[in-house]
Amino acid sequence: VQLQASGGGLVQSGGSLRLSCVASGGTFMTHRMAWFRQAPGKEREFVATIGWNDGRTSYVESVRGRFTISRDKPKKTVYLQMNSLKPEDTAVYFCAIDVDSRYISSYYAQERAYDYWGQGTLVTVSS
């Protein structure tokens, strides 16, 4: 399975960006996809996740109300619409996919729940 993320860039504080991540590479079941991010000098953190079949979403508190995760099932693509961006949102954003559903919902914000990762796309928010 390969994940290709795109859409990052430089934006002013208060601006918007939409990230995309396409999954490819043969036959696989998608149970959920997620976005994580890693700011300079910090550990990677959970941002948002979406159930592939039920579309249920979950967000880290710091982005709730500003970011929206969505998916296009036929295109095997997950999106992250980011509005009202802040300088503290500056990070490399990674998409991830869960293809074997080994973990229950309490683990969905943890990296261990995801089997494959994209290469990351850089988002820089200037003040």
Side-chain angles (χ1 to χ4, degrees):
V1 179
Q2 292 87 44
L3 300 177
Q4 181 67 47
S6 62
L10 173 64
V11 64
Q12 288 188 334
S13 181
S16 299
L17 281 175
R18 189 176 83 152
L19 306 183
S20 301
C21 177
V22 182
S24 63
T27 302
F28 55 90
M29 291 292 294
T30 304
H31 294 281
R32 68 180 39 253
M33 293 188 73
W35 289 96
F36 286 72
R37 67 185 179 185
Q38 187 168 20
K42 295 186 177 181
E43 293 186 353
R44 190 156 58 183
E45 68 167 351
F46 167 78
V47 176
T49 187
I50 186 166
W52 205 247
N53 290 322
D54 62 16
R56 295 183 66 177
T57 60
S58 178
Y59 299 88
V60 68
E61 183 60 34
S62 61
V63 309
R64 191 170 293 125
R66 300 188 297 123
F67 291 10
T68 303
I69 188 171
S70 61
R71 88 285 195 221
D72 184 325
K73 294 174 70 175
K75 294 183 178 179
K76 292 186 179 180
T77 300
V78 66
Y79 303 98
L80 186 68
Q81 177 66 43
M82 305 185 295
N83 298 327
S84 302
L85 282 161
K86 305 175 181 180
E88 52 263 44
D89 295 318
T90 294
V92 177
Y93 284 70
F94 299 89
C95 57
I97 187 170
D98 169 14
V99 299
D100 60 15
S101 193
R102 287 176 294 161
Y103 293 92
I104 59 175
S105 60
S106 57
Y107 290 92
Y108 289 164
Q110 298 185 26
E111 295 185 31
R112 71 176 77 186
Y114 301 91
D115 306 292
Y116 299 94
W117 294 79
Q119 84 288 0
T121 184
L122 176 63
V123 172
T124 304
V125 184
S126 63
S127 57

